[in-house]
Amino acid sequence: MVAAALLASLLRLADPARIAESVTVTAPEARRIAVTATATVLTRDALAASPSFTLDQKLGATPGFSLFRRSSSRTANPTTQGMTLRGLSASGASRTLVMADDVPLNDPFGGWVYWNRMPAAAIDRVEVSRGGSSDLFGSDAMGGTIRVLSRRDPAGEVWIEGGSHETARVSAYGGLAGPVGVSAGAEGSTTEGYVPVEPASRGAVDAPAGSKYWSGVTNLRAAAGGIRFDAGGSLLSEDRTNGTRLQTNATRIGTGYLGAGGDAGGGFWRVRAHVSDQDYDQTFSAVGAGRATERLTNVQHVDSRSRRVDASWSQAGPRVSFLVDGAFRQIAADLLDQNSLTRARQRFAGLGGQLVWHAAPGVTISGGVHGELWTSSSETNPGVESRELFLAPRASVSWRVTGDATFRATAFDAYRAPTINELYRSFRVGDVVTQPDPLLNPEDARGGEAALTFARPRWTARAVLFATWLDGAIYSRTVPSLTGIVRVRSNGEARAAGGEVEVDARLHDRVAVWASFTAGASRLTGGQLDGNRLPQVPRAQAAAGIRLTNGRWLASFDARYVASQFDDDRNVFELEAATVAGALVSARFARAHLFASVENLFDADVDAGRTPLRTLAQPRMWQVGLRLR
């Protein structure tokens, strides 16, 4: 996975334009829009200027990014923390790979994302790449990749923040240079949250959905005998309330990695081992008439372990760069559900290669292929075993048409294996019970895009057309039932197509603006649901922001619009269109940074879900803070 990240950086460096979003871009004035990849970068300064509190909310500034059920990680159940990119329907299992320093943040059991595992003060920048990337990163990157890069600078910083709904956060970062480079971050946060059920439907059982957690990360770097070593790890402990008296969940995660690399044979070799252990607990309940009573229906405990080893060798030349890599990953999970125990295992063994060729002045051709063998089995159901061989090719050409304009076209094949959660775990949300399917097939995506980017000294703009055909799309299919709403995870066919427009401009030395717009059609394309819109995918999204600076003062304002979308496969439960805005004001001094911000500035009611009960995304929330350097 580290090797894939290295090649992704080489692809972006293929064009010498100032706005290339390589991993070397750290300056505050760095542009957001890449020329040689459909990627958007949010630098440390851009993240600090965003009025949003959590990282997933800040990513709403990128085209086509939306959260499952429109709820942020501040209060949402972690199993709903999935995201949509490029109109590929989100569920708890995101079709996008999220990495922190090239270590996956996706839950190995369910595929959802714990956004709070990286302390905010320790984040250097975030790179969001849209489009199938299985040739680089394997199964989890079918819809794209999000890379969170941590700081490495020798400095110290502490953030102290507080706000409405009894919200408080302390985040810290420290780094040291020397023969052994050390960087670390830690964070603790708590919020009472808000009651997610709409006011007209609330009853005695309803309570705020809140959370409290602490997290920490550390990285060490050293060199000896021509070999560079790196090691690190992270911890997360969080507890959440889910909106009623009896519904709670808790997570404990520990990860670690050890890597080495060096020069050999005119190239660079790299090996890394990564381990992760996690415990997850959740309770489920049924609510009586008038929401006056509640009874516990299930208690689940999941113990999951992930192990990964990868190795690569790469060589960069003036005209040709290439890479070969291999990886092996194993996931094991024990699911205790009431009185039953399910033991499941998955293995991924992959081998791939990538090539970047500067064919002519202004013309870069790149391509690659990744093959992976996936096996899945359950000791509880020994007769049920799945095995699949994936092959994911990708080809791209980038042409500098003029000094200002670059055209790029890409075709790809990508895939995603079903998670252990989708295969074996059932759950309940409101009156909706979702059942697993141990016979689910993997998803296969074929698609492409064409992009035209204009890069001028003071502004950059990009327009993209994309299309993806998804075979075996995993979704929750509503089935007839006499007791509530029952859905079963199933395979189907789907298509997503649309376009993106993104603009980033500096109107004045003190005024910068950005805007993005995404429109598309994502539909099921087979069976009785043929023509229905994919759940959790809006037809259109728009976002815009302005940033004003004057000496030590900074002010920013952004607004986001999300069109209506459906919460179910039958397109019965509609979530209405919504617009939210946020604002921030800050002042920088020599060693201090003061700020105040407001999210959902006009306190709009934003539909988060219909189960069929209507629930709402977060109301207006404010926070103030002090950042000490």
Side-chain angles (χ1 to χ4, degrees):
M1 189 163 291
V2 175
L6 173 64
L7 190 90
S9 301
L10 289 174
L11 290 172
R12 296 184 190 128
L13 286 168
D15 194 301
R18 292 176 53 203
I19 61 175
E21 294 167 348
S22 74
V23 296
T24 61
V25 175
T26 57
E29 67 273 11
R31 304 292 185 86
R32 294 163 51 97
I33 302 172
V35 173
T36 55
T38 306
T40 301
V41 165
L42 299 179
T43 64
R44 193 190 318 168
D45 281 0
L47 293 170
S50 170
S52 297
F53 186 75
T54 62
L55 177 58
D56 50 311
Q57 290 174 301
K58 294 176 187 291
L59 291 176
T62 61
F65 178 97
S66 63
L67 297 171
F68 180 60
R69 297 194 186 280
R70 299 176 174 176
S71 298
S72 81
S73 61
R74 186 191 291 204
T75 57
N77 187 306
T79 64
T80 66
Q81 290 177 27
M83 78 213 74
T84 291
L85 285 177
R86 287 281 168 88
L88 297 180
S89 176
S91 63
S94 293
R95 294 181 172 94
T96 298
L97 174 64
V98 184
M99 298 177 288
D101 292 328
D102 303 321
V103 174
L105 294 185
N106 299 67
D107 182 277
F109 173 76
W112 51 79
V113 179
Y114 289 92
W115 296 99
N116 51 13
R117 284 172 60 180
M118 177 66 77
I123 297 176
D124 182 62
R125 66 192 177 280
V126 182
E127 303 176 353
V128 184
S129 300
R130 279 94 69 194
S133 304
S134 291
D135 64 309
L136 283 170
F137 299 102
S139 174
D140 295 329
M142 191 176 74
T145 59
I146 297 175
R147 298 180 65 212
V148 183
L149 286 306
S150 68
R151 295 172 62 175
R152 295 288 192 269
D153 53 313
E157 194 164 324
V158 177
W159 300 5
I160 303 171
E161 302 167 85
S164 60
H165 300 78
E166 297 186 24
T167 299
R169 181 170 70 179
V170 176
S171 189
Y173 166 79
L176 295 173
V180 178
V182 180
S183 56
E187 182 169 294
S189 180
T190 180
T191 182
E192 183 185 55
Y194 64 96
V195 179
V197 173
E198 64 173 340
S201 302
R202 291 174 188 169
V205 304
D206 291 303
S211 68
K212 59 181 179 180
Y213 71 86
W214 64 265
S215 62
V217 298
T218 184
N219 298 278
L220 295 92
R221 303 164 303 282
I227 300 177
R228 283 166 271 179
F229 299 93
D230 66 317
S234 67
L235 294 171
L236 172 69
S237 175
E238 73 165 24
D239 295 275
R240 292 176 180 265
T241 54
N242 294 326
T244 70
R245 308 295 179 184
L246 298 181
Q247 293 183 31
T248 62
N249 62 71
T251 306
R252 309 290 182 261
I253 305 174
T255 69
Y257 69 87
L258 177 64
D263 298 321
F268 183 81
W269 61 270
R270 178 79 182 211
V271 294
R272 177 185 265 196
H274 169 257
V275 298
S276 173
D277 286 272
Q278 175 175 314
D279 287 302
Y280 177 78
D281 295 279
Q282 181 163 352
T283 62
F284 299 88
S285 70
V287 177
R291 302 190 66 77
T293 61
E294 181 183 21
R295 62 180 177 85
L296 200 64
T297 59
N298 196 3
V299 176
Q300 290 183 346
H301 172 79
V302 179
D303 176 17
S304 58
R305 289 86 60 199
S306 174
R307 309 288 185 261
R308 180 185 177 96
V309 177
D310 56 55
S312 67
W313 187 79
S314 60
Q315 184 169 339
R319 294 196 62 187
V320 177
S321 301
F322 63 89
L323 174 148
V324 292
D325 68 334
F328 176 80
R329 178 173 56 139
Q330 176 175 284
I331 300 170
D334 299 333
L335 168 62
L336 181 62
D337 191 330
Q338 292 181 326
N339 296 319
S340 66
L341 176 64
T342 301
R343 298 182 183 274
R345 305 289 184 270
Q346 291 190 341
R347 293 180 175 87
F348 300 80
L351 183 66
Q354 307 287 329
L355 178 72
V356 180
W357 175 35
H358 302 283
V363 177
T364 300
I365 298 173
S366 62
V369 64
H370 181 81
E372 191 163 68
L373 176 64
W374 167 72
T375 59
S376 179
S377 62
S378 169
E379 295 179 11
T380 311
N381 302 289
V384 179
E385 180 172 316
S386 300
R387 183 184 298 267
E388 193 82 24
L389 179 62
F390 305 111
L391 193 66
R394 180 186 178 95
S396 181
V397 58
S398 176
W399 174 33
R400 177 72 66 85
V401 182
T402 68
D404 299 333
T406 300
F407 173 79
R408 179 174 43 80
T410 302
F412 66 87
D413 195 297
Y415 61 90
R416 185 181 76 88
T419 64
I420 295 176
N421 174 68
E422 291 170 319
L423 293 169
Y424 300 110
R425 176 178 173 263
S426 62
F427 63 91
R428 181 186 187 112
V429 179
D431 293 334
V432 180
V433 176
T434 302
Q435 301 290 353
D437 182 357
L439 300 179
L440 283 174
N441 294 316
E443 299 177 326
D444 180 73
R446 306 178 312 279
E449 65 174 60
L452 184 61
T453 304
F454 294 92
R456 300 296 300 274
R458 300 190 70 90
W459 62 270
T460 309
R462 174 170 58 211
V464 184
L465 295 176
F466 62 86
T468 305
W469 290 263
L470 189 56
D471 297 332
I474 297 174
Y475 72 103
S476 296
R477 176 172 56 88
T478 305
V479 297
S481 174
L482 298 177
T483 57
I485 300 172
V486 176
R487 293 174 183 157
V488 178
R489 296 186 181 98
S490 304
N491 289 108
E493 311 300 319
R495 180 189 67 250
E500 301 170 349
V501 176
E502 191 174 10
V503 178
D504 181 30
R506 183 166 292 278
L507 303 181
H508 184 273
D509 290 342
R510 298 177 180 179
V511 182
V513 297
W514 59 268
S516 67
F517 177 74
T518 304
S522 299
R523 298 188 178 277
L524 295 163
T525 57
Q528 297 179 347
L529 300 177
D530 186 21
N532 280 20
R533 289 169 56 186
L534 277 172
Q536 303 298 340
V537 179
R539 285 181 172 174
Q541 295 173 257
I546 184 170
R547 180 178 175 181
L548 308 173
T549 57
N550 185 9
R552 64 168 52 99
W553 291 95
L554 179 146
S556 67
F557 175 86
D558 66 35
R560 302 169 190 171
Y561 166 80
V562 180
S564 64
Q565 62 196 62
F566 288 102
D567 201 15
D568 68 312
D569 58 315
R570 293 186 175 181
N571 290 182
V572 174
F573 303 123
E574 184 176 14
L575 309 182
E576 295 183 357
T579 301
V580 295
L584 176 143
V585 177
S586 70
R588 291 179 180 269
F589 301 92
R591 296 192 176 276
H593 177 192
L594 299 172
F595 80 94
S597 64
V598 182
E599 300 173 87
N600 196 355
L601 182 62
F602 304 109
D603 204 21
D605 284 344
V606 180
D607 289 349
R610 290 187 178 271
T611 58
L613 186 72
R614 183 185 181 221
T615 55
L616 301 175
Q618 78 175 39
R620 178 168 51 227
M621 289 187 172
W622 59 265
Q623 50 264 339
V624 295
L626 170 66
R627 298 173 182 174
L628 300 173
R629 294 189 296 275

